[in-house]
Amino acid sequence: MDKFRDGKVFHNLQKGHLRYRCRLPGWRKADELEKPGTYNARKDKLHTVWKKLFGFNHGVIVARRFYESVSLHRLQHRELVPGERDIPVEIRFQPEPAQEMFLACLWRYVEPTDGEEGFYSFAAITRDPPPEIQVAGYDR
């Protein structure tokens, strides 16, 4: 397994890397660009959006930390001021004491096409955030 690089997970496989953004069955690259939110598979959407993978392609991610993108004003526990732009910031979460976390995921191998090599992709299965993450401004 490769080391963490800039907070993103890379796992060396014989056929390439495991990409943290799952390409759903039937999707093309253009579909991903139009709907880029397939990093996480929400628990309440497993039987709808993720039904072709849920129950078939499960895995576990081992992580020591994870990152979330939140709005600066939510992190500061305030509303946007009129005319103020929403500014995204990335915050890091790490268990105390330090320990490995086991995160459920869904994965898929995308077959090669004329314009693209084959690759593995995955999405972490998520649920509503616990209070310590909500307090940091994360609202899904």
Side-chain angles (χ1 to χ4, degrees):
M1 186 174 335
D2 293 344
K3 299 286 185 193
F4 286 91
R5 294 188 220 158
D6 300 323
K8 308 299 183 244
V9 178
F10 291 86
H11 181 76
N12 191 4
L13 298 171
Q14 288 181 346
K15 292 188 177 185
H17 292 284
L18 187 62
R19 187 187 74 179
Y20 179 39
R21 184 181 64 214
C22 193
R23 183 171 296 173
L24 291 168
W27 279 26
R28 300 176 321 274
K29 189 174 185 175
D31 298 309
E32 285 185 334
L33 295 173
E34 186 180 321
K35 301 175 186 176
T38 58
Y39 295 94
N40 296 327
R42 290 177 51 155
K43 184 179 172 187
D44 59 341
K45 302 290 184 191
L46 293 176
H47 294 287
T48 55
V49 175
W50 299 93
K51 67 184 174 187
K52 291 181 180 177
L53 297 178
F54 183 63
F56 306 100
N57 293 31
H58 293 248
V60 174
I61 304 160
V62 180
R64 293 183 186 98
R65 68 191 68 82
F66 66 92
Y67 300 80
E68 292 290 354
S69 180
V70 300
S71 294
L72 178 61
H73 71 282
R74 289 189 185 278
L75 181 62
Q76 296 172 336
H77 304 287
R78 63 178 181 80
E79 296 296 320
L80 280 174
V81 178
E84 179 184 13
R85 288 189 357 228
D86 185 24
I87 300 170
V89 294
E90 191 173 81
I91 55 177
R92 180 173 119 176
F93 293 94
Q94 190 168 324
E96 295 289 334
Q99 57 187 298
E100 292 179 333
M101 298 176 285
F102 299 94
L103 312 173
C105 72
L106 298 175
W107 64 272
R108 177 168 181 253
Y109 179 71
V110 177
E111 296 291 338
T113 62
D114 291 337
E116 192 172 40
E117 291 183 25
F119 62 92
Y120 287 91
S121 65
F122 77 96
I125 297 175
T126 63
R127 57 180 171 79
D128 289 332
E132 63 269 21
I133 294 175
Q134 288 178 352
V135 129
Y138 184 69
D139 67 349
R140 274 209 200 204

